[in-house]
């Protein structure tokens, strides 16, 4: 049985980690300066749990008349794919199963996966907006493992956030913290990498290849 590698999206496959506060909040405030970051984050939380569709997110913020153009512009202009990811993913596919576990609005995730042709890399995809659960809720990890049909120790979860790695470790998954930039925080995953180029060697070490 081949092992599974499970990837987070923001802060791993895409370079920005806190996309909500670093990208979405200032983007929305260009059109609605009176909105607070808390209001925008709350609207995003609801959408990322699938409680409202993406069009409902913009309506909640009073920007419904700008939809869908505003959504397309945000997704096209604000997010940057890690340039090393495609080549490394292709290499890893030869020896491992690849999966995706992401907190995101369902429609936004689908749009980005299509734009960057990401679906080709993953055999299983779990998006919070599709399943109504978000990391670090333990239930989303349990759902993931059921879908993968593998023992936790036969999987590696790669995420940039400590709070998302802790439940994975408690479930018995191996973990790698993706620390693209040094933020001064202590390492939380079992191991860490700072670039995709480091990943194949570390994964091989974890699985004793």
């Amino acid at each position: 049985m081949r092992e599974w590698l499970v990837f987070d999206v923001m802060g791993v496959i895409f370079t920005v980690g806190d996309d909500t506060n670093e990208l979405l909040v200032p983007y929305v405030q260009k059109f609605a300066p009176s909105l607070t970051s808390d209001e925008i984050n709350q609207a995003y939380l609801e959408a990322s749990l699938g409680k409202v569709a993406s069009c409902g997110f913009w309506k909640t913020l009073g920007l419904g008349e700008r939809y869908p153009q505003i959504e397309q512009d945000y997704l096209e202009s604000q997010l940057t794919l890690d340039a090393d990811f495609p080549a490394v993913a292709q290499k890893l596919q030869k020896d491992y199963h690849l999966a995706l576990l992401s907190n995101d609005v369902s429609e936004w995730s689908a749009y980005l996966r299509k734009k960057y042709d990401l679906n080709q890399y993953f055999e299983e995809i779990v998006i919070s907006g599709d399943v109504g659960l978000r990391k670090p809720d333990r239930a989303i990890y349990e759902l993931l493992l059921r879908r993968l049909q593998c023992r936790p120790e036969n999987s590696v979860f790669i995420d940039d956030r400590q709070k998302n790695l802790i439940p994975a470790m408690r479930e018995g998954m191996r973990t790698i913290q993706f620390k693209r930039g040094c933020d001064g925080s202590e390492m939380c995953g079992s191991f860490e990498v700072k670039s995709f180029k480091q990943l194949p060697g570390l994964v091989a070490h974890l699985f004793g290849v």
Side-chain angles (χ1 to χ4, degrees):
M1 177 187 295
R2 286 194 299 168
E3 294 89 357
W4 282 89
L5 305 182
V6 182
F7 291 83
D8 173 40
V9 175
M10 299 303 169
V12 180
I13 296 174
F14 288 90
T15 56
V16 67
D18 188 359
D19 57 307
T20 310
N21 288 301
E22 293 181 35
L23 301 180
L24 183 61
V25 168
Y27 180 84
V28 169
Q29 288 176 336
K30 288 192 302 181
F31 301 95
S34 64
L35 288 173
T36 67
S37 60
D38 287 344
E39 290 171 324
I40 298 168
N41 272 284
Q42 183 58 39
Y44 175 78
L45 178 63
E46 296 288 305
S48 69
L49 281 168
K51 294 182 178 180
V52 295
S54 64
C55 60
F57 166 79
W58 299 107
K59 289 178 181 178
T60 298
L61 298 177
L63 298 171
E65 75 282 356
R66 295 180 178 269
Y67 177 85
Q69 290 79 14
I70 190 171
E71 179 167 291
Q72 182 175 353
D73 178 66
Y74 172 71
L75 296 173
E76 289 282 344
S77 66
Q78 300 297 306
L79 297 158
T80 303
L81 185 76
D82 189 305
D84 292 329
F85 172 74
V88 172
Q90 289 175 4
K91 180 178 181 179
L92 292 169
Q93 276 182 309
K94 297 176 182 178
D95 299 305
Y96 308 100
H97 298 289
L98 272 56
L100 203 62
L101 178 63
S102 175
N103 289 343
D104 205 353
V105 179
S106 179
E107 294 90 343
W108 296 5
S109 175
Y111 185 98
L112 292 170
R113 296 197 317 268
K114 182 177 181 180
K115 172 179 171 60
Y116 292 98
D117 198 18
L118 297 178
N119 288 330
Q120 63 174 312
Y121 303 115
F122 302 106
E123 298 176 49
E124 188 61 61
I125 295 172
V126 177
I127 306 299
S128 66
D130 294 332
V131 301
L133 299 165
R134 281 175 52 93
K135 297 175 292 181
D137 187 336
R138 181 175 180 177
I140 199 169
Y141 301 88
E142 294 172 344
L143 182 151
L144 169 75
L145 290 169
R146 289 196 300 271
R147 290 191 180 182
L148 301 187
Q149 296 184 333
C150 77
R151 297 174 62 87
E153 60 267 27
N154 290 331
S155 65
V156 173
F157 178 49
I158 303 145
D159 198 294
D160 63 314
R161 297 193 178 193
Q162 295 183 2
K163 67 178 182 179
N164 295 335
L165 292 165
I166 293 170
M169 287 190 287
R170 288 175 177 166
E171 288 296 316
M173 302 175 72
R174 304 167 192 254
T175 57
I176 296 174
Q177 186 172 12
F178 200 105
K179 298 184 71 173
R180 181 173 283 101
C182 182
D183 60 5
S185 63
E186 295 182 1
M187 184 178 73
C188 177
S190 303
F191 297 89
E192 68 176 44
V193 295
K194 295 185 178 179
S195 74
F196 275 106
K197 293 178 181 179
Q198 296 177 304
L199 195 56
L202 178 54
V203 170
H205 170 73
L206 282 173
F207 286 127
V209 177

